[in-house]
């Protein structure tokens, strides 16, 4: 130390002490800055960790939404397929309805011919020049001989003609559907006059060849001699 003091003057020593104090002060300042930086770094790391957790949460949320979106796309695809199926079925139903209406129309026209043919066989004299079946309610209508307009059979004629046309309707329907095993006719002669009664019974007798069995109920006793079948 003595040697050191001999080499350096008092001023030099003071200068060195000042430098040392400055260095010490700077060191303290740097320590404070380092502590603050470490604190800030810790805060940043904490924020970074929170951000990473948030990112992970968002990733999970995105994945979930992606799965939901895929499910939704699959559901939309299924709905589109169902829509296509519905449109196809509606198209088929429309075509079927059109076909069904046309088939019904043809069947009704054929049944009309059968009914009119049976009516001409049943009646002693034809009261109608044409019979028609209404396609809406299947009621029977007719145009009388020497008439220009159509009437409802139920409203136009008396019980005798109503019985004849009703029986003709049933016979025509049975013939058309092939229901010829058995037929029961309940009191067809009750409301018919003598002329039509004989014609009616004769027709029923001749119809035995088309029906396996006919069961006729009548209170007049007429037709007993023809009741072998």
């Amino acid at each position: 130390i003595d040697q050191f003091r001999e080499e350096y003057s008092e001023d030099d020593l003071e200068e060195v002490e000042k430098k040392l104090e400055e260095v010490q002060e700077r060191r303290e300042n740097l320590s404070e800055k380092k502590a603050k930086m470490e604190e800030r770094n810790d805060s940043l790391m904490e924020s970074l960790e929170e951000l990473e957790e948030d990112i992970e949460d968002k990733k999970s949320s995105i994945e979930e939404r992606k799965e939901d979106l895929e499910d939704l796309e699959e559901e939309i695809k299924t709905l589109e397929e169902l829509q296509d199926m519905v449109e196809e079925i509606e198209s088929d139903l429309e075509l079927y309805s059109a076909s069904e209406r046309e088939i019904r129309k043809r069947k009704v026209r054929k049944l009309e011919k059968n009914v009119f043919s049976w009516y001409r066989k049943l009646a002693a004299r034809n009261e109608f020049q044409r019979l028609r079946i209404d396609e809406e309610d299947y009621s029977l209508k007719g145009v009388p001989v020497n008439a220009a307009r159509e009437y409802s059979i139920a409203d136009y004629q008396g019980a005798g003609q109503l019985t004849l046309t009703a029986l003709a309707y049933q016979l025509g329907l049975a013939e058309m559907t092939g229901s010829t095993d058995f037929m029961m006719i309940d009191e067809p002669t009750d409301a018919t006059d003598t002329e039509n009664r004989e014609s009616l019974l004769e027709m029923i007798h001749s119809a035995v060849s088309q029906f396996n069995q006919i069961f006729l109920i009548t209170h007049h006793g007429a037709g007993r001699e023809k009741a072998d079948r």
Side-chain angles (χ1 to χ4, degrees):
I1 294 173
D2 292 338
Q3 185 179 355
F4 180 81
R5 290 181 177 277
E6 290 176 358
E7 293 179 0
Y8 296 94
S9 63
E10 196 69 29
D11 293 336
D12 292 333
L13 291 175
E14 289 179 1
E15 184 68 25
V16 169
E17 287 179 357
K18 288 182 181 180
K19 294 291 184 182
L20 288 173
E21 289 177 358
E22 289 178 0
V23 169
Q24 184 64 27
E25 186 178 352
R26 290 183 65 186
R27 180 180 294 176
E28 291 175 357
N29 290 336
L30 287 173
S31 296
E32 290 179 1
K33 288 183 178 180
K34 180 182 178 182
K36 290 181 180 180
M37 289 183 67
E38 288 177 349
E39 184 180 351
R40 184 179 179 186
N41 183 63
D42 291 340
S43 177
L44 288 173
M45 290 299 295
E46 185 178 349
S47 298
L48 181 60
E49 289 176 358
E50 292 177 354
L51 184 59
E52 288 176 347
E53 290 177 0
D54 188 52
I55 289 173
E56 289 299 322
D57 291 340
K58 289 187 181 305
K59 283 183 178 180
S60 299
S61 177
I62 290 172
E63 289 298 324
E64 291 177 359
R65 292 187 179 183
K66 185 178 180 182
E67 291 177 1
D68 292 341
L69 181 59
E70 290 175 353
D71 293 340
L72 183 59
E73 289 176 346
E74 188 67 26
E75 186 175 351
I76 290 173
K77 183 179 178 182
T78 302
L79 289 174
E80 288 175 347
E81 291 175 355
L82 287 174
Q83 179 65 29
D84 292 339
M85 189 181 299
V86 168
E87 290 177 357
E88 184 176 352
I89 291 173
E90 287 178 345
S91 178
D92 291 342
L93 285 175
E94 186 176 350
L95 180 62
Y96 170 78
S97 297
S99 301
E100 191 267 342
R101 286 193 298 269
E102 182 61 27
I103 292 172
R104 185 194 303 130
K105 183 177 180 180
R106 292 180 183 179
K107 293 294 184 181
V108 168
R109 297 289 84 80
K110 182 178 180 181
L111 181 58
E112 283 177 352
K113 292 180 181 179
N114 286 359
V115 173
F116 190 57
S117 175
W118 279 108
Y119 169 74
R120 293 176 64 182
K121 294 176 183 178
L122 288 168
R125 59 183 182 278
N126 294 333
E127 295 282 343
F128 297 96
Q129 57 177 306
R130 185 170 71 88
L131 294 175
R132 184 181 71 83
I133 297 173
D134 191 299
E135 293 181 17
E136 295 298 325
D137 58 7
Y138 298 99
S139 62
L140 192 63
K141 303 179 186 296
V143 179
V145 176
N146 300 324
R149 57 165 293 189
E150 184 180 74
Y151 295 87
S152 170
I153 300 299
D155 298 334
Y156 175 73
Q157 287 288 348
Q161 288 296 320
L162 185 61
T163 298
L164 291 174
T165 53
L167 183 56
Y169 201 138
Q170 294 300 319
L171 289 167
L173 188 60
E175 181 182 20
M176 186 171 173
T177 58
S179 304
T180 57
D181 289 336
F182 175 80
M183 173 168 285
M184 183 173 70
I185 306 173
D186 187 12
E187 300 186 38
T189 60
D190 193 41
T192 54
D193 55 31
T194 302
E195 184 180 13
N196 277 314
R197 185 179 305 143
E198 292 301 322
S199 176
L200 174 66
L201 291 171
E202 187 66 34
M203 187 285 308
I204 292 174
H205 182 264
S206 65
V208 170
S209 61
Q210 295 177 257
F211 294 89
N212 295 336
Q213 182 70 54
I214 295 179
F215 182 37
L216 173 65
I217 301 172
T218 174
H219 296 296
H220 292 90
R224 186 186 303 273
E225 69 281 359
K226 298 180 180 181
D228 56 321
R229 290 187 62 186

